[in-house]
Amino acid sequence: MLPSLPVSALGFLLTLALGQTFQFQEYAFLQFLGFDKVPSPQKFQPVPYILKKIFQDREAATASGVSQELCHIQELGVRGNLLRLLPDQGFFLYPKKPSQASSCLQKFLYFNLSAITEKEQLTMAQLDLNLGPSSYYSLGPELELALFLVQEPHVRGRPIPKPGTVFALQSVPWPQGALHFSLLDVAKDWNNNPQKNLGLFLEILVKEDRDSGVNFQLEDTCARLRHSLHVSLLVVTLNPDQCHPFSRKRRAAIPAPKASCKNLCHRHQLFINFQDLGWHKWIIAPKGFMANYCHGDCPFSLTTSLNSSNYAFMQALMNAVDPEVPQAVCIPTKLSPISMLYQDNNDNVILRHYEDMVVDECGCG
């Protein structure tokens, strides 16, 4: 049975930092993240503004000691504790005979949802279509954007996938910037029935009539549109097993005595640098964090003063009577969370909040 967090995650980071590398502990930590091995992303994915903002907001709240609802994403207004940015794995289509003369762009879109586990509940799936930076000075033609659910698996010999139900039809000026579409019901269906995930078919048409003298401009517009188009799927899921009440009551900490003896139980500073561990290749942010650790003696004479539990006091009392009873040990009594932005082996950008990763206070237990 694998150890649970914080024993597996924080414990592994501490042993690595102290020069004690254990493959089992690394495996346990990666299992907690949902990996079978150390991720090695093949392509760097840009982090969208919303993920950066959520990460920065949570870091600021943690630094200020503000309690956080870890299973509600305030910036998006949805329940969830895991955010994934799934890149489009589809490809552009170049049919010999476009469906319409004004067809400017056709693309097959596909998103791999296999990383979502059975315990996770989909609460948000937002399709983001970025048509390039918005501009009020060089307005282009008006475009018509059409999205279809693919009806049958795409075959290499077929010029375009067989489109089925129209998912969205929208007229937009170009250049427009980012467009967002809710894909929650479709993503839920795909997640429950992976064989139904046949992707989407995107077609962009030029609505304005153009005479023969503007054909070159049309081709140039379409070429620039293909170059600037970026598609991704922002998925938010909720794992109820990892949710805790908004404000957990912790037992009041008794300030540790300012004793001159350095051997007494207290917190020691320890900075975990992800580059030293070789994890900077897949962890985007933070670059590291102050994890700290607990170390020191828990003598019976000072057990009640060293932020100890009642159980630790009774254990120390029994140790004085029977030396075979182990002494109380120096352990964390208060921990705080961190947020991490990283990429997995499918080049997905993931934002996740991990509890109990930073030792704030130590005591005997």
Side-chain angles (χ1 to χ4, degrees), residues 219-281:
E219 293 178 3
D220 184 58
T221 297
C222 296
R224 286 191 290 125
L225 185 59
R226 280 192 294 268
H227 178 74
S228 61
L229 178 67
H230 181 78
V231 186
S232 61
L233 183 67
L234 179 62
V235 174
V236 180
T237 61
L238 173 69
N239 187 340
D241 294 344
Q242 298 175 356
C243 291
H244 296 279
F246 177 77
S247 177
R248 290 184 291 174
K249 292 183 179 180
R250 300 181 184 270
R251 79 183 261 286
I254 303 175
K258 296 182 179 179
S260 59
C261 181
K262 296 182 180 179
N263 295 329
L264 294 180
C265 174
H266 67 282
R267 185 186 66 176
H268 299 257
Q269 287 191 346
L270 177 64
F271 182 77
I272 302 296
N273 189 325
F274 289 136
Q275 185 166 2
D276 292 342
L277 304 179
W279 293 357
H280 61 288
K281 297 177 181 178

Side-chain angles (χ1 to χ4, degrees), residues 27 30-31 33-37 39 282 342-345 350:
Y27 176 75
L30 293 173
Q31 282 277 299
L33 294 179
F35 303 138
D36 293 326
K37 58 182 179 179
W282 58 279
Y342 57 91
Q343 283 190 243
D344 63 10
N345 285 317
I350 300 173

Side-chain angles (χ1 to χ4, degrees), residues 110-183:
Y110 183 80
F111 304 97
N112 186 355
L113 304 181
S114 61
I116 301 175
T117 63
E118 293 182 358
K119 291 185 178 181
E120 296 177 50
Q121 303 169 7
L122 266 168
T123 60
M124 177 179 172
Q126 178 178 281
L127 180 67
D128 296 332
L129 298 177
N130 194 327
L131 304 179
S134 299
S135 174
Y136 296 99
Y137 303 101
S138 58
L139 294 177
E142 186 175 1
L143 307 176
E144 184 174 86
L145 183 148
L147 273 171
F148 303 85
L149 292 174
V150 175
Q151 190 173 11
E152 295 180 0
H154 181 248
V155 181
R156 283 290 178 183
R158 186 185 300 163
I160 63 172
K162 186 176 181 180
T165 307
V166 177
F167 175 71
L169 187 64
Q170 181 174 340
S171 296
V172 295
W174 188 81
Q176 170 68 24
L179 301 173
H180 309 289
F181 301 91
S182 175
L183 207 68

